[in-house]
């Protein structure tokens, strides 16, 4: 029986710790750049934006990655869920305070499935008031669609007009760091509220 008591205490402690911090879910299809974004943001929290350096190598996430950042003296936990975990993303919705949804704007074949995933996230009941940042990544790639074209394919104006939660969209190149400051500004704004 000691194990049951110990487990019970640990799970209560873990729930208390998780509920006292801001949790931002990082979602998107496999290969959109979620892991690299986590590493870039973690590097920024340690060294500042001036020291981005060469992009670190990454592998597709199987499971989750957790990264803690301190922004404006407040802690936010970024929880990346692997793209292959799409069917079980809803299990994590009730614990989050914000969402970053990434789209690979250079992968035309993935656009329609990313749009369906996004609509599924936005329409989930626990997400009805959670702020969402939609990032169109890989802006540095030569085969990238223009922002106007990709927003048209996503029907972003219609999505934003009918959504119950606040939605922000950004262009980003995690590889070069272009747009990273705007992502940090969005996170800071969300956790200060």
């Amino acid at each position: 029986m000691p194990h049951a008591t110990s487990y019970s205490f640990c799970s209560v402690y873990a729930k208390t710790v998780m509920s006292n911090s801001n949790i931002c879910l990082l979602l998107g299809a496999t290969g959109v750049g979620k892991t690299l974004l986590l590493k870039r943001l973690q590097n920024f929290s340690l060294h500042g934006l001036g020291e981005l350096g060469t992009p670190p190598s990454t592998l597709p996430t199987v499971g989750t990655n957790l990264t803690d950042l301190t922004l404006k003296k407040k802690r936010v936990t970024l929880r990346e869920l692997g793209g292959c975990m799409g069917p079980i993303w809803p299990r994590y919705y009730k614990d989050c305070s914000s969402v970053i949804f990434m789209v690979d704007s250079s992968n035309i074949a993935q656009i329609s499935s990313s749009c369906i995933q996004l609509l599924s996230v936005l329409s989930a009941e626990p997400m009805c008031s959670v702020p969402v940042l939609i990032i169109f990544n890989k802006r540095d790639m030569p085969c990238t669609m223009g922002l106007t074209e990709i927003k048209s394919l996503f029907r972003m104006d219609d999505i934003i007009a009918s959504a119950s939660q606040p939605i922000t969209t950004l262009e980003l190149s995690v590889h070069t760091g272009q747009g990273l400051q705007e992502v940090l500004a969005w996170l800071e704004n969300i956790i200060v509220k």
Side-chain angles (χ1 to χ4, degrees):
M1 209 54 170
H3 287 294
T5 306
S6 174
Y7 174 77
S8 171
F9 172 76
C10 289
S11 64
V12 168
Y13 175 75
K15 286 179 184 174
T16 303
V17 169
M18 294 304 261
S19 66
N20 287 338
S21 65
N22 294 300
I23 298 175
C24 178
L25 288 183
L26 182 52
L27 307 173
T30 301
V32 297
K34 299 182 300 291
T35 304
L36 185 55
L37 177 63
L38 277 183
K39 289 184 176 190
R40 288 290 204 195
L41 292 173
Q42 190 173 37
N43 187 44
F44 168 76
S45 71
L46 297 172
H47 308 290
L49 271 177
E51 299 293 324
L52 281 178
T54 307
S57 61
T58 62
L59 294 171
T61 300
V62 177
T64 67
N65 280 327
L66 293 173
T67 299
D68 288 331
L69 301 175
T70 302
L71 304 169
K72 293 195 174 180
K73 298 183 181 179
K74 292 198 176 185
R75 188 175 133 223
V76 61
T77 300
L78 293 173
R79 174 177 277 161
E80 174 196 0
L81 301 179
C84 62
M85 293 178 62
I88 63 168
W89 288 352
R91 293 182 185 175
Y92 295 88
Y93 292 169
K94 68 179 187 292
D95 296 326
C96 77
S97 57
S98 58
V99 172
I100 296 175
F101 188 90
M102 291 185 75
V103 177
D104 180 346
S105 57
S106 70
N107 188 343
I108 297 168
Q110 201 178 61
I111 295 296
S112 61
S113 61
S114 289
C115 186
I116 291 167
Q117 283 180 319
L118 174 63
L119 291 171
S120 176
V121 170
L122 295 176
S123 64
E125 206 226 304
M127 308 300 266
C128 68
S129 61
V130 173
V132 177
L133 173 63
I134 302 169
I135 295 176
F136 297 103
N137 189 28
K138 302 190 182 181
R139 302 306 303 156
D140 57 309
M141 301 294 285
C143 56
T144 302
M145 287 184 280
L147 187 60
T148 304
E149 184 180 11
I150 198 168
K151 281 184 170 185
S152 175
L153 285 173
F154 261 78
R155 300 188 64 139
M156 283 308 305
D157 292 339
D158 294 337
I159 290 173
I160 291 171
S162 63
S164 60
Q165 60 273 85
I167 297 176
T168 305
T169 60
L170 286 176
E171 285 186 277
L172 179 67
S173 169
V174 179
H175 184 79
T176 66
Q178 174 196 0
L180 197 56
Q181 185 66 49
E182 288 84 356
V183 174
L184 289 165
W186 182 84
L187 278 169
E188 288 175 353
N189 186 46
I190 293 303
I191 65 172
V192 164
K193 288 183 180 181

